[in-house]
Amino acid sequence: MGVVHGEEMVLNIGPQHPATHGVLRLQVRTDGEVVSQITPYMGYLHRCFEKHSENVTYEQVIPFTDRCDYLSSMSMNFGYVVAMEKLMDIKVNNRVEHIRVVMAELQRIASHLLCTGVFGLDLGAFTPFLWALRDRERILDLFELTCGARLLYNYMWVGGLSHDIPTGFVESTFEFLDYFEPKVDELENILAHNKILVERSADIGVMPKDVAISYGVTGPNLRASGVKWDLRKNDPYSIYDKFDFDVPIGEGKKGTVGDCWDRFYVRIIEIRESVKIIRQALASMPKDGDVHQSLPKKLRPPKGSIYARTETPRGDLGYYIESDGSPIPYRVKMRSPAFTALSVLDEIGAGWLLSDVLAILGSLDIVLGEIDR
Amino acid sequence: MIKYFTDIFTAVSTITGGMFITLTHLIGAKKGIATLQYPEERWPRPERGIGFEHGRYNVIRSRLHVDMDDCIGCLKCERACPVDCIKIETEKSPDRGNDLKDINHRGITSNGTKKALVVTRFDIDMTECCYCNLCTYPCPEECIFMTGGPNGKKHPIDYEFSEPDRSDLIYRFAKPGTKEGMEKIMNEKSQVEA
Amino acid sequence: MTVDFIFDGLNQLFPEFAGNDIFLIIAMLLPVAALLGFITVYGFGVIYSEIKVSSFIQDKTGPMGQGPGLHAGKWGLLQPVADGIKLFIKEDIIPASADKPLFILAPFLIFIGALTSFIAVPFGEKIIITDMNIGIFYIIGVGSLAVIALILAGWSSNNKWALFGGMRSAAQIISYEIPAGISLVVVIMIASSLNMQEIIAYQAGGLFNWIIFDNPFMPIVFIIFFISVLAETNRTPFDLPESESELVAGFVTEYSGTRYAIFFLSEYANMFVVSAVAATAFLGGWQSPFSNFLNSPAWGVFWMMSKTFFLIFVMIWVRWTVPRLRVDQLMHLCWKVFIPIGLFNVFAVAIWIVVRGS
Amino acid sequence: MGLLTNKFQEDNVIVEKLEKLLNWSRSTSPWFFQFGTACCAIEMMAAAAPRHDIKRIGFIPRSSPRQADVMIVAGTVTMKMAIRVKKLYEQMADPKYVVAMGSCATSGGPYWQHGYHVLKGVDIVIPVDVYVPGCPPRPESLIEGLLKLEEQILEDRPLTRKMT
Amino acid sequence: MYRDFGTVFFTSIVAIIFVIVPLVIAWLVAPSNKTKEKLETYECGEVVEGSAWLQFNIRFYVIALIFLIFDVEVVFLFPWAVVFKELGLLALIEMGIFLLILVVGLAYVWVKSDLDWVKRRVRYGAGRYSKIAMDQDK
Amino acid sequence: MAEMLFWLIAALTIASAAMVVLNNQLLYSAIALLFTLFGVAGLYIYLWADFIAGVQLLVYIGGINVLIIFGIMLTNRISSIRLSQTNVQQGVGGVVSFWLLILVSMVITKTPWYQTTSAEPSSTVREVGTLLMTKYILPFEAISLLLLGALIGAALLSREAS
Amino acid sequence: MDQLNNYLFISAILFSLGVFGVMTRRNGIAVLMGVELILNSANLNFVAFSRFGGMNLDGHIFGLIVIVLAAAEAAVALAIVINIYNNLNTINVDEASTMKE
Ligand code: SF4
Ligand code: SF4
Ligand code: SF4
């Protein structure tokens, strides 16, 4: 006794599709517009990061880490150097730490800006996306001023930085922050509280706490589900324990805890928190200190292995580095946050409408470079 | 029922709020526009000092330049490159530290180092380069540079060098004719020795 | 109206052939040709202003006519022209697995729908190609051609995105036809005529005689009508059928070159028609907002145009502000918000008229 | 081929004028195919962002290949993707142009040596008109490359007989 | 009236011509290079799996059906609206009855949730964990 | 010219009506029906019934035809059999309908129809409205009941089982 | 053209075509289309009589009512067709009439 369902249709979203943020291919089964199953196919951007790491020296790995999560290269560098410094037991001086934190937080802002903008774009609001890009450009200017590159920096080195910050950097950063804060409010006003966006994202794609934890989802996605977990607070690396900031969690203001809207809004609050951290870090930055001070002459870590994790804009980034004593790593493995975020997609996305699936995908903020590596 | 009307109300108010924001952008377009008319205007290339005594220079990563007069062919840059896009071949100079007029070779670098090698081939494939800047640090003579470098005054920064033909993007820095010239010189030398 | 006018003129010019059929055909074709010219110019203009307005809203400049040899003129004024010509000389692809006859038929249908609805639009006191008795009704009726055209376009492409787009837009357009129709019913109740010119004539005498200010319910009616026609013309927030981030390009995914340009042009032409209907029905058409001031026929054209273009501007403005709705919310909005409120409006205005009239 | 393509003598004035018009329109409104695969795509977005705004010179993003003229291959093309790239290129309507943006698309870039899964240059599968170097190319470089492409289009002679 | 609608007819013809002319131009000057791959259906670069010509969901049909009924209703509203001012109260009452009966219909389909596009059954997605999550929700 | 146009429209109507019943592809039949309906609307214009013509556009073309197209797309595995369908009993059907045609034509020609000449009305819709509100008020209200029945019935029949 | 007979003939042809369709087609929706033709022919007659009977608008009213009927009929008929399709997975009318669940 059948009811007329439309036939099930197998639909390929991607690899070339405006909403997949790159070359992800989602194979969805739809019944009419309802998606009954989502199968992500990856590997369209597999660039052999781990293989490369086994073929180049330790410092040459850094440019390749850049290219994994190309939206937050600084944080990727950061994770790698933190791991390496742990492995080699290098202490860097305070100025370097401060600069690193400032850079990582600026990168977090840039990344979150893009994410919120793209989320708006996925839901059809074009303008906020461009505004977000406009402000992101200012951050890129700061990076460019520091190290000359706009997107892939190769800035943090094991034991230091490639360049010291230039004179005037602190002032321009403050200037940028002053300019930027009203813009966040504007972004929030036009996007976050817009009724249409709320309707499109609240109560959609709810990721309950235990699902998030059992899938190993981290970062803003986890926090949006109501888990107060942030490595910067819970397992502080670098000098994050010195700063005073909040870890925002999803509160389900417009719907259920852990819905798309929460994931989106947590990022906006995180932008504000990052601004706070940057202000503190800039204010307390030591005036002197050579950024090249503790650069090792030869990057040749002792035999052994290390796993270290840091908080990138997308969540826990773990590096497992195994060294056999030669200047070339024996193995570098990356635990990427976006990968777990993508794996949860079928769990929380099946059963929703096609448009919802794309909204959920947008709210998970994945970067293909990091998933496929 | 109340929710029905509050929903309508919030929809109307938030959307009008959004429209108001966009309207301010539209009206304030003169002030707010962030566009640069690129070929005519460009974003100022930031200048900075990074602590070397060479003073202020530009850090924008652009094309690699090599100052062949200064290169001693030590291959450090080639080794530093993570993608192996620098290819250097050298020949032993017959006359260490002296100029070779035939092939336009300078014997002494501007730092005063005497060159023992003649670089016969110095190719950088800019299509493979990942602009990581790693090659410029180890260079003892500071003659390969990407960012305008300490010698930045000699070469302009250029990041606009797209080409319709890929082979035009492989830059051959070795002076033209060096290889043949060297061969000739070596041949002559061996003949003389013989 | 204009047809009669030209016909009479021709008859007077050549009295020996008076009443000739050829004259009638000429009298019909002339204004239509002028209309085509108008649509083309209007299309370029409105596409240009869409690009520019959106660019300004987004803090950028939009086309500036740069490039080798200052392509698109100063301020990129010729950009839409170049776009148009380029589309016309692009390869015309009909996918092998498509249903050819229907694939070809769809652009024709949609353009016929767009163009034929134009001829009942009053541009000025005397300038209306045909002044039908059932003017407004006719425009609604012809509008339904678009539905079939879109279904055909979506279906015949044999492309899943196009199919989704076509179906969505069909469901959307037919649904929103009802709130739009109900809103117009209210207007007709007040003006007691389906004839466009009579509706406008009813609103003579300044701003406060416009139907939108006729009674306190009219602004609501107007808003419902306006949003409904937004949906009927597939503009954001109702652009689901061609939403870029979901359905690639919706029902036009497989269309290239000329055929795509026709869809594009029809969409903008429809925007004009619905704005003109809104201006006619609610904002007094070619009537001046002041009862005796600037009220000549020439100014009439000006007023009509400025009202219409203002509404078009609002459409553009809305488009670049809001996100888009989801398909079920779209239906919810139509059936559960607009239609009940629209019906309520009909009752309320009817009672208002009865009470005030007696 | 169109009926009149490559059918005329070199020195026909009307044809020359017509060609000028065609080239003008083609070079003024090259709509590009949103085809970002990796990091370079972000810079492509940045080029569309308010600061650089490639709409300024007529580049409008389209997400369906049928309506696009220029395919900007922005990012790494892997072996798995190469088939799709070719297919998408094939599905674009003529005339079509390709801009290889970034090192990866040009020659495999940083992955040319050990990247067992990276296509060593997109020109292996599709013809490329302009190579934009950089990793990622700055938006300025991209725009410069696009302007170069426009110049190339302007020099085309679509209707005159080609000397072979 | 003939003239009015004659114009409509001629306008349609003009519209057809207006579409045909650029097609002819395209036929003359546009390049045309039909390869097999080009004529394939576009599906984000993937090989197409199955035809798009599947039967699709019934919801479109239900909406079209309800639309049809209301369309007819609107059609009746028009002549009524034209004469409304002449007839006054009488027309109001008559149309009131007419509309009320139909409003009952609207209310019926509303209550029976035929107007809902999708009867969504999920809250947490339909993955493996949905049951656990749902149980917790209770 | 009006005469010519009339025959053109009549020919279009009949030809497309023939398409409707003869075409093997159901969807093409539906599209042919579209043209038939257009043709009939044109004939209404010749009969000075502009309002009815508008209703024809709105209800038949915008409503019923769309519904039929939806119905076709809903009930056919289009991918496999290309929406085709066969005719049965063509011979019998042809004979019967041809015979009917002859019969009716004979009736038409034989009957002395009552005809009067009349002037073109200024506005049909006004009179239709008045008639509906006065003379035909009962059918008018009955229609609403009919529509209600149709709505409920159709919704019931086509509802998805939950 | 200003002759009643012309319209009556056109209508007669439409009618017989409709009858032909109803008789010969097996597909339920195709049958429905035949019925629409018949209804249209009837409508044409109504309006034609109204026009030639002194512009008596009663005919228009009938036309209107017939259109409404057609709409209601189409809605219900298609709903039935869909229902049959649901249950029997065919919409060929004669199959449907013989198949029993
Ligand atoms: S910049 Fe990096 S990739 Fe380029 S040549 Fe230098 S070291 Fe190699
Ligand atoms: S490191 Fe400097 S000196 Fe040595 S080979 Fe390279 S460019 Fe020449
Ligand atoms: S060229 Fe560089 S920036 Fe571009 S995709 Fe390749 S690695 Fe990324």
Side-chain angles (χ1 to χ4, degrees), chain B residues 66 70-78 88 122 135 138-144:
Chain B
V66 182
D70 282 0
C71 177
I72 55 171
C74 65
L75 303 190
K76 281 195 174 149
C77 51
E78 190 184 325
I88 301 175
F122 198 122
C135 50
C139 180
E141 299 294 325
E142 293 177 358
C143 64
I144 176 168

Side-chain angles (χ1 to χ4, degrees), chain C residues 223-243:
Chain C
I223 289 171
I224 289 182
F225 178 75
F226 190 70
I227 297 177
S228 306
V229 297
L230 267 187
E232 281 196 55
T233 45
N234 292 339
R235 301 282 300 179
T236 318
F238 307 100
D239 65 341
L240 305 111
E242 40 196 304
S243 53

Side-chain angles (χ1 to χ4, degrees), chain A residues 9-13 17-19 30 32-33 121-127 130-131 134 194 196-197 199-200 204 353 355-356 358, chain C residues 54 56-60 160-161 163-164 168 236-237 239-240 244-248 319-329:
Chain A
M9 189 192 265
V10 179
L11 191 60
N12 285 308
I13 307 181
H17 188 274
T30 62
E33 300 233 340
L121 184 64
D122 283 349
L123 299 185
F126 201 68
T127 304
L130 287 175
W131 290 352
R134 177 199 61 198
N194 187 312
I196 296 178
L197 188 124
E199 284 291 322
R200 281 295 306 273
I204 304 293
L353 294 184
S355 329
D356 290 333
L358 298 177
Chain C
S54 69
F56 287 152
I57 284 178
Q58 294 156 354
D59 287 349
K60 47 186 207 175
K160 289 161 192 170
W161 303 116
L163 182 72
F164 268 121
R168 276 184 183 185
T236 318
D239 65 341
L240 305 111
E244 291 235 321
S245 53
E246 287 168 29
L247 299 185
V248 188
R319 171 164 182 184
W320 297 104
T321 305
V322 292
R324 81 172 69 82
L325 289 164
R326 199 176 51 218
V327 64
D328 61 324
Q329 287 161 351

